[in-house]
Amino acid sequence: MDPRRIVGRYTLHALSHVGRFAAFFVEMVRTLNEWRIWVPRTFEQAQNIGYGSLFIVLLTAAFAGAVTALQASYQFQANLPVYIVGGLIVNSIVLELAPVLTALLLAGRIGARYAAELGTMRVTEQIDALESLGRSPMSHLIIPRVIAGTLMLPVLVIFADLIGIVAGYFFAHISSLQISSADFIYGARYFFRPWDLWYSMIKSLFFGLAISLVPSYVGFTTKQGAEGVGRATTAAVVSASVMILFLNALLAQWLLTNA
Amino acid sequence: MIRLVGVYKRFEELIVLDGVDFDVSKGETIALLGPSGTGKSVLLKHINGLIHPDRGEVYVDEQSVPQLGRKQLATLRSRIGYVFQFGALFDSMSVAENIKLGITDQQCSSDAKYCSARVVECLELVNLPADTARKFPAELSGGMRKRVGIARAIAGEPEYLLYDEPTSGLDPVNADVIDELVVKLRDTLGVTSVVVTHDVRGAFRVADRVALLKEGRIRAFGTPTDFRESRDEVVREFIERDFGALPEA
Ligand SMILES: Nc1ncnc2c1ncn2[C@@H]1O[C@H](COP(=O)(O)OP(=O)(O)O)[C@@H](O)[C@H]1O
Ligand SMILES: [Mg+2]
């Protein structure tokens, strides 16, 4: 095979996806006026996400906080003031660990669920059935999922921040450093900028959009056949995860270097 | 009134419809026959705009379906009941909620009592007990799911009904119930119907006219009598498979 042809074919394939994704997004935005239908369903979805994910998110955040504290105390040079560790732990968790780990976890949980649910509904003609009743799949299925996912991620990240910081403090306290709560809080305050919290929330919103919009699109456009659903689910999780890594770098460049 | 003119539809390399001309008058019941995989479902989905033709025209009541805007298409669809081949029930919802989605929004939100009564009424029409309403699709047999699908399609009192193999997979008693329902809806409410079916006997019993889809085209279109007396070999072969050799001719 001529490599140029392979590249050409891939480019065309990618472009056609971009076009269809744009059309999907426009259709979604145009259906926002059917709020009577999507608002109650959004609450249902948000509840699902909250109950289904809170425990695993907290567990992950606690371990992330603990490991950050243990590594910080391991690497810590004795001639630096100990309160720096407090700032280091809080900053790592708020800026990076809580949003990214939570988003990657939920890309697996929410992303996979959205793609599998919508893919199954596509291949069993439930989406066609909804349309045949003169109802919009956007307001009944897509908008509730996308909005719930986008808004719930920052909420879960706030919980992850809290647990991560508490676990970080606890492990820094019992580690060889034996940091006192006064030092920890002093350090956390010393290095804290309000913008950090905004940054963390903005980032979480983007991540939330990525892990709900991409899998919704992939599931919604699943091709016929039972293996189509499996393939869509894998594709959704992989592309949502890649989007998160990509957005993470992009937003750091945009929002942190100019701040 | 439904009219398809020169409808051509292809999926990648596969030409499914290759110039289909098809018409249904108001109040008429048409049976659409054809071997499986010839595109009967694809044809049916053109009528309510679930599939758009590559070429050719699709009209319902003089409205060109592929050219309708979002709102107009939704309005048209709410007047057309569609029975899916495998039910296509919403599996996260109970049977009652499924059927309620078939009732137009305003009626339902303003009158919960009417809706609950309508659910029971529609279940009765497809010969299902009232307590089916509380069940979920996963708890039902294939035949029951199909009948719930019919109940959902008729719940909004549509002017048109498109049935995709409504009786295949049903036991003979329930197949007869559905056939009688098709006839009853035509005679009492003047519903215009297209029934896709494998069942030649059922087709002859319920239909005013019968169409045979073969190799992307309507091969024959006429009354049941026309079909029985047809000299077209393809038609004869298709009918005789079901009836055995015909008594005369
Ligand atoms: N959405 C689709 N994408 C690709 N191929 C399709 C699609 N829908 C139907 N087909 C193909 O079109 C042909 C006709 O399908 P169908 O209308 O379901 O046949 P039947 O007469 O049994 O109802 C089949 O070969 C099927 O694989
Ligand atoms: Mg079919």
Side-chain angles (χ1 to χ4, degrees):
Chain A
M1 268 289 241
D2 183 348
R4 279 172 304 181
R5 280 187 63 175
I6 297 176
V7 171
R9 182 173 296 180
Y10 261 97
T11 313
L12 272 185
H13 188 74
L15 281 180
S16 87
H17 254 301
V18 170
R20 272 179 291 165
F21 182 77
F24 173 84
F25 189 73
V26 168
E27 176 71 15
M28 191 185 99
V29 171
R30 281 179 46 176
T31 317
L32 282 172
N33 61 351
E34 294 183 16
W35 58 271
R36 259 175 233 279
I37 292 176
W38 63 256
V39 168
R41 289 171 170 80
T42 303
F43 279 105
E44 254 170 58
Q45 289 291 336
Q47 232 172 12
N48 260 343
I49 295 173
Y51 289 140
S53 310
L54 189 60
F55 176 73
I56 183 77
V57 165
L58 294 185
L59 190 72
T60 309
F63 274 98
V67 171
T68 311
L70 294 174
Q71 287 195 350
S73 19
Y74 169 69
Q75 293 180 331
F76 199 69
Q77 305 290 315
N79 53 358
L80 285 172
V82 75
Y83 68 82
I84 289 179
V85 172
L88 185 77
I89 291 173
V90 171
N91 262 349
S92 322
I93 287 171
V94 171
L95 289 179
E96 189 65 18
L97 288 173
V100 173
L101 286 180
T102 307
L104 286 175
L105 261 180
L106 294 201
R109 275 192 73 91
I110 303 181
R113 184 162 66 80
Y114 282 5
E117 277 174 359
L118 293 169
T120 304
M121 293 190 79
R122 169 63 73 192
V123 303
T124 57
E125 297 187 308
Q126 292 177 53
I127 293 179
D128 281 344
L130 204 53
E131 291 194 289
S132 80
L133 297 167
R135 293 167 190 278
S136 158
M138 287 293 164
S139 56
H140 282 78
L141 304 173
I142 306 295
I143 295 175
R145 283 177 170 76
V146 171
I147 293 190
T150 306
L151 295 184
M152 281 309 279
L153 191 62
V155 172
L156 289 169
V157 167
I158 290 173
F159 281 104
D161 283 341
L162 291 175
I163 290 290
I165 290 170
V166 168
Y169 163 69
F170 179 73
F171 278 86
H173 182 68
I174 63 167
S175 74
S176 52
L177 275 181
Q178 294 188 317
I179 188 170
S180 67
S181 62
D183 273 341
F184 188 87
I185 291 170
Y186 178 77
R189 285 208 170 146
Y190 188 82
F191 291 100
F192 179 78
R193 288 167 297 185
W195 172 246
D196 293 353
L197 265 187
W198 281 111
Y199 171 70
S200 171
M201 289 296 104
I202 294 171
K203 191 156 135 165
S204 307
L205 276 176
F206 274 94
F207 289 172
L209 190 64
I211 60 172
S212 47
L213 187 59
V214 173
S216 293
Y217 168 75
V218 174
F220 192 72
T221 52
T222 302
K223 288 278 177 297
Q224 291 294 325
E227 91 273 28
V229 178
R231 204 179 302 152
T233 307
T234 314
V237 174
V238 171
S239 34
S241 306
V242 171
M243 283 282 282
I244 288 165
L245 300 176
F246 179 76
L247 282 172
N248 194 30
L250 195 73
L251 292 172
Q253 162 72 22
W254 274 356
L255 299 177
L256 287 189
T257 51
N258 303 324
Chain B
M1 189 230 46
I2 299 168
R3 192 155 53 95
L4 275 69
V5 186
V7 168
Y8 176 94
K9 181 69 192 179
R10 184 176 93 166
F11 293 110
E12 326 236 296
E13 305 301 300
L14 179 74
I15 298 171
V16 179
L17 301 181
D18 187 13
V20 166
D21 298 312
F22 186 72
D23 68 279
V24 188
S25 313
K26 189 153 176 40
E28 200 180 23
T29 296
I30 301 286
L32 181 61
L33 297 171
S36 55
T38 40
K40 302 184 297 295
S41 302
V42 170
L43 192 162
L44 215 54
K45 285 179 185 172
H46 275 81
I47 299 173
N48 71 348
L50 287 175
I51 295 180
H52 289 271
D54 297 333
R55 287 203 298 274
E57 288 143 68
V58 181
Y59 295 100
V60 175
D61 288 349
E62 305 302 331
Q63 300 187 81
S64 173
V65 178
Q67 272 146 20
L68 290 179
R70 210 161 49 108
K71 277 249 166 63
Q72 295 161 303
L73 187 59
T75 310
L76 178 67
R77 280 170 172 166
S78 65
R79 295 167 45 215
I80 305 178
Y82 194 111
V83 176
F84 287 84
Q85 193 167 352
F86 302 103
L89 301 184
F90 306 119
D91 45 31
S92 61
M93 297 178 190
S94 70
V95 166
E97 289 169 312
N98 263 279
I99 296 174
K100 279 179 186 165
L101 267 187
I103 308 172
T104 47
D105 245 342
Q106 296 89 323
Q107 270 173 308
C108 210
S109 50
S110 64
D111 194 347
K113 236 190 210 141
Y114 165 80
C115 282
S116 307
R118 183 73 186 146
V119 167
V120 174
E121 191 182 349
C122 290
L123 285 173
E124 221 165 77
L125 283 171
V126 296
N127 200 26
L128 283 170
D131 69 351
T132 317
R134 283 195 308 274
K135 295 191 171 148
F136 278 80
E139 303 169 63
L140 306 178
S141 72
M144 290 166 90
R145 249 178 265 164
K146 199 155 207 166
R147 285 183 281 152
V148 173
I150 297 172
R152 182 177 69 187
I154 63 177
E157 301 181 352
E159 298 158 49
Y160 293 93
L161 271 162
L162 310 174
Y163 301 88
D164 199 347
E165 307 202 10
T167 55
S168 66
L170 294 191
D171 57 277
V173 173
N174 280 309
D176 282 349
V177 168
I178 299 305
D179 283 345
E180 280 158 24
L181 177 67
V182 173
V183 172
K184 182 171 150 191
L185 288 172
R186 177 194 59 192
D187 293 345
T188 59
L189 299 174
V191 175
T192 308
S193 312
V194 180
V195 187
V196 166
T197 182
H198 272 312
D199 172 17
V200 179
R201 278 168 207 274
F204 284 2
R205 205 161 46 216
V206 305
D208 300 308
R209 286 189 298 154
V210 182
L212 177 66
L213 184 69
K214 184 98 198 283
E215 285 157 2
R217 285 163 186 261
I218 299 293
R219 175 75 188 220
F221 201 176
T223 62
T225 317
D226 292 340
F227 260 68
R228 283 203 193 86
E229 291 165 0
S230 173
R231 306 211 167 273
D232 184 337
E233 254 172 55
V234 176
V235 174
R236 297 210 63 79
E237 190 192 331
F238 201 82
I239 296 174
E240 279 162 18
R241 212 192 38 196
D242 246 51
F243 277 104
L246 286 179
E248 66 233 69

